Every structure is written in C-alpha cells, then in structure tokens.
Amino acid sequence: MRDDELLTVIDVMARLKVGRSTVYDLIRTQRLRSVAIGRCRRIPASALHDFISGQSERAA
C-alpha cells in the first residue's frame, strides 16, 4: 500500500473488517481522515495507517 494511494470506503471496510456504517462513523467523528471528490469519499492510505497506529497505541 502506497502512502499517496486513495482508498474507497469499500477498501477500508475490507481492510478493517468492519461495516460501511462504521467507516462512515469514523469519518464523521474525524477519527479517520478523508477527502470528498464530488459525491465520493476517499481515504488516504496514510490516514488509515495513522488510524490503525493510534488504535494500537491506545490498546497498549
């Protein structure tokens, strides 16, 4: 996964093994950064990496 890659909500759902509403909730609460392109949401791969890292640090 390249850091400059833009992921779809479906990509993020698959990588986190969560549902669509969970991904949109993470975006809505600004725990997962995203960009709007027209009516679509895209999540930078670096934002997903940051989110996962943050969750790992909280669990430790």
Side-chain angles (χ1 to χ4, degrees), residues 6-23:
L6 291 176
L7 305 170
T8 65
V9 169
I10 293 171
D11 293 334
V12 174
M13 288 168 51
R15 292 178 189 200
L16 293 179
K17 309 277 192 279
V18 297
R20 178 183 300 265
S21 60
T22 300
V23 175

Side-chain angles (χ1 to χ4, degrees), residues 6-57:
L6 291 176
L7 305 170
T8 65
V9 169
I10 293 171
D11 293 334
V12 174
M13 288 168 51
R15 292 178 189 200
L16 293 179
K17 309 277 192 279
V18 297
R20 178 183 300 265
S21 60
T22 300
V23 175
Y24 279 111
D25 186 53
L26 292 171
I27 292 169
R28 185 181 54 77
T29 58
Q30 298 180 350
R31 295 185 347 211
L32 181 62
R33 290 182 291 114
S34 69
V35 294
I37 301 174
R39 293 177 42 148
C40 301
R41 278 281 156 191
R42 296 294 181 261
I43 298 90
S46 60
L48 182 58
H49 181 268
D50 293 346
F51 172 76
I52 293 169
S53 295
Q55 294 301 307
S56 297
E57 289 173 6

